[in-house]
Amino acid sequence: MKGDFSLISNSIDLNAVDNHNHEYWMREAIAEARKAEALGEVPIGAVIVRDDEIIGRGFNLRETTYDGTAHAEMVAIRSASKHLGAWRLLDCRLYVTLEPCPMCAGAIVQSRIPQLIYGTSDPKAGCAGTLMNLLQEPRFNHRTIVVDGVLQEECADLLTSFFRRLRGK
């Protein structure tokens, strides 16, 4: 775990953080990424899990919807919020194949998601530790626990293969 979590404003049990099957849930996020890929979208997928149940799913839809905010994380957050009937996603874990950008990291903080698990880092826009870490910024009133590198190679290969095919056309 990174950072000081003394001000985390939710009820997550920090001792239970590593007791979840992160690879299982990341495979669900990868399945979402494959849906994006089938539409010609950048293959990024996300799922939000609460009490070992997926309550939100999302994949990249920027090209399809002509919406720059239609990132996998944003779609999953909206889905989970609708499912719960609440904007606070307490006691939830967000799994995403690519490290969140500044917009998505901000939405994670604003949604009070206590834990983020991501597959591969994003050297161009990653804001969960690569370029900066908005999720553990001490000036915010909420911080998110970050677990990185879960099925990293598989998540990275999805993106690498997609862009290789795109350049080949």
Side-chain angles (χ1 to χ4, degrees):
M1 289 186 295
K2 303 172 186 173
D4 172 20
F5 301 105
S6 59
L7 295 178
I8 290 179
S9 58
N10 56 52
S11 60
I12 191 167
D13 178 0
L14 294 179
N15 296 319
V17 167
D18 293 322
N19 294 337
H20 304 291
N21 187 345
H22 293 321
E23 288 186 5
Y24 175 84
W25 299 113
M26 186 60 72
R27 289 191 196 293
E28 291 287 331
I30 290 169
E32 293 298 310
R34 292 192 190 286
K35 293 176 186 177
E37 185 175 38
L39 293 174
E41 296 274 357
V42 177
I44 301 168
V47 295
I48 297 180
V49 176
R50 182 175 184 209
D51 296 329
D52 290 326
E53 174 189 354
I54 294 175
I55 63 165
R57 294 178 178 270
F59 54 87
N60 248 15
L61 286 169
R62 293 188 311 172
E63 301 297 330
T64 304
T65 61
Y66 309 110
D67 180 355
T69 69
H71 289 202
E73 301 96 321
M74 301 295 284
V75 174
I77 288 169
R78 289 178 185 124
S79 173
S81 294
K82 185 174 182 178
H83 175 86
L84 292 177
W87 62 269
R88 289 179 188 88
L89 298 178
L90 305 174
D91 303 319
C92 294
R93 296 184 315 277
L94 169 61
Y95 291 84
V96 64
T97 56
L98 182 67
E99 179 182 8
C101 71
M103 173 184 67
C104 294
I108 292 165
V109 170
Q110 291 300 315
S111 299
R112 309 298 194 263
I113 296 172
Q115 188 177 17
L116 164 74
I117 300 91
Y118 73 86
T120 193
S121 61
D122 184 349
K124 294 182 179 178
C127 286
T130 298
L131 296 180
M132 64 184 67
N133 194 339
L134 292 177
L135 297 172
Q136 295 174 346
E137 170 56 51
R139 293 172 288 183
F140 292 148
N141 67 336
H142 173 78
R143 288 191 261 320
T144 298
I145 297 165
V146 176
V147 177
D148 62 0
V150 175
L151 297 179
Q152 189 277 329
E153 190 172 318
E154 192 170 340
C155 292
D157 285 348
L158 265 174
L159 292 162
T160 303
S161 298
F162 175 81
F163 286 114
R164 188 177 295 129
R165 283 191 306 278
L166 200 60
R167 285 189 297 273
K169 288 185 178 180

